[in-house]
Amino acid sequence: MKYRMLTADVVNLLLGGGEATPKGIETTALEMVRTGRLQGEQKADGTLTVRTIPSTADSAPLRPVEALVVERIRRRSRSGVDRVPIGALGPGDGDEFWVWWRDFQKRVRDEATALGLIRPARNKYVTLTYRGAALAAWFGALWAGVSWSPVGIRILLQAVLVLSLLGLVRLSDVPLGSEPRLTAEGRQAVREWRRTHDRDGEHRLPKRQVGAAGPESALPVRESRQIWSSYGRTWHVVDAGPLDPPRWGHLWQFVVLAVTVCVGSVAMLVVSLTARPPYGWEWDTAPVLTGVLLWSLWLPARRHVLAVPDESSFRGAVISRWDYDTHHDDPHTDITHYCCSIEDPATRKAWSFEVDRWSRPMFSHEANPQLKDRFRVGDIVDVQCSPRQRKIRRISVVEAASRAD
């Protein structure tokens, strides 16, 4: 029964096996609404919005996690709106969210650790030692078995040894660090919560998590996703297009396809006429059938490409910002790509572009804060671009968001 009073963020971490998920932001905000620390309001479309409440002399102090949620609401309210939808508190504004999210995860872990529900993450060198000892024991036992076993069992052990060696290739994908794990009391708390509460659905893990691997799952880098925007002083959801240009559906691909099919058809016709005995009709029609199949795959992709405007000019708002690194061996350089999604208010879409890049020698830790801070979430910009090619012709800041945060 003592687990009934666990806070929403701790419950989210427990149901996540020791990892806080973005669902914890929403449930923490809902808990603060229930306890009167935030003011909630249900809009006509069913969206729940929250706003901060001025503190008074008799107000109870906020917990560290609650203080972060209040900070997040104030940050998301900087575009002239005082209410923020619950969903807009989660992922969406790129690396600005990621910096805040690391603090949120840390404070939730500290709270759960103080209650004895999780044990801290293990040092990576200690983890590497444990795993190395386990591998040495496994391969040592197999080698001893191969050396001293009868012929039949020896062949079986040799096969297991080979498969185990091949399995070592996958070890490069295994993280060295060990994430926080639930203690026995933490596992008991999960069982007790699920047994005594019917609200565990509201703490259920989201389909996409933001974990230790990086912020990519919160960013529109590789696929379209919806992002909350307050441009125009009204909260709405914007479909953000991917950063990468389309790989299939281009006109030159159709030309190459048509030429290849024609050459293949002529070649097969000549071969079938000169062959002894002559080939059947299946060989003559194979290139044509292949071309029809590829055409049926190319045409929908082409329509998708043409649906994106080739040229566009608009005044919009930066609603997401992030960066990623690429490595080049010749010359040995690391390149940081600074990207952002810019909302086009006429279409309620956000086009994603690379707006800057910074090159530096490989393995260096240099940074360029001028480029990183050139565009911030909330900036109003004039853009001339090609959304189809994911290229910016011209971009300039009309109204800069506050740099105080």
Side-chain angles (χ1 to χ4, degrees), residues 309-353:
D310 187 37
E311 293 293 335
S312 180
S313 299
F314 59 90
R315 174 171 294 184
V318 177
I319 61 174
S320 179
R321 188 196 67 173
W322 71 97
D323 59 72
Y324 66 94
D325 295 327
T326 58
H327 310 282
H328 299 272
D329 294 328
D330 188 20
H332 295 286
T333 56
D334 289 338
I335 298 179
T336 300
H337 305 263
Y338 299 107
C339 308
C340 63
S341 289
I342 305 171
E343 177 185 355
D344 181 356
T347 60
R348 284 291 170 93
K349 289 183 177 294
W351 308 115
S352 300
F353 304 99

Side-chain angles (χ1 to χ4, degrees), residues 71-257:
E71 174 193 333
R72 178 71 174 161
I73 294 174
R74 289 172 177 167
R75 179 173 297 184
R76 296 296 274 161
S77 301
R78 62 187 175 187
S79 299
V81 293
D82 61 350
R83 291 186 178 275
V84 183
I86 288 287
L89 299 178
D93 54 0
D95 55 351
E96 296 192 358
F97 168 79
W98 179 243
V99 173
W100 177 90
W101 173 244
R102 283 182 296 185
D103 287 340
F104 184 90
Q105 287 179 306
K106 180 180 182 301
R107 296 191 185 187
V108 175
R109 291 190 188 119
D110 291 344
E111 188 174 333
T113 303
L115 295 174
L117 302 178
I118 65 171
R119 57 173 60 96
R122 186 187 297 142
N123 183 280
K124 67 178 182 180
Y125 298 107
V126 176
T127 302
L128 187 61
T129 301
Y130 286 163
R131 293 175 180 173
L135 289 175
W138 172 254
F139 284 104
L142 286 178
W143 185 260
V146 169
S147 303
W148 300 100
S149 299
V151 177
I153 299 179
R154 183 182 304 172
I155 295 175
L156 178 62
L157 291 178
Q158 286 174 341
V160 175
L161 181 61
V162 171
L163 292 175
S164 299
L165 290 173
L166 293 176
L168 290 178
V169 177
R170 303 296 301 173
L171 287 181
S172 59
D173 299 332
V174 178
L176 289 180
S178 176
E179 292 300 313
R181 296 169 296 165
L182 299 182
T183 61
E185 189 172 357
R187 292 190 292 271
Q188 175 62 30
V190 173
R191 290 191 293 267
E192 180 74 14
W193 175 270
R194 286 175 171 161
R195 185 176 64 84
T196 59
H197 291 75
D198 56 359
R199 296 187 294 111
D200 65 323
E202 70 182 25
H203 297 278
R204 195 168 298 148
L205 301 182
K207 295 181 179 179
R208 298 178 61 80
Q209 293 192 45
V210 183
E216 288 79 9
S217 57
L219 307 177
V221 178
R222 296 298 175 191
E223 62 183 3
S224 301
R225 70 165 283 126
Q226 294 183 322
I227 303 176
W228 280 98
S229 170
S230 60
Y231 183 45
R233 298 189 178 184
T234 172
W235 283 102
H236 53 276
V237 174
V238 181
D239 291 324
L243 176 69
D244 292 342
R247 300 178 181 179
W248 184 244
H250 297 286
L251 190 58
W252 67 267
Q253 294 170 334
F254 173 72
V255 174
V256 172
L257 175 62

Side-chain angles (χ1 to χ4, degrees), residues 62-76:
L62 297 174
R63 294 184 296 114
V65 173
E66 293 175 336
L68 277 178
V69 173
V70 171
E71 174 193 333
R72 178 71 174 161
I73 294 174
R74 289 172 177 167
R75 179 173 297 184
R76 296 296 274 161

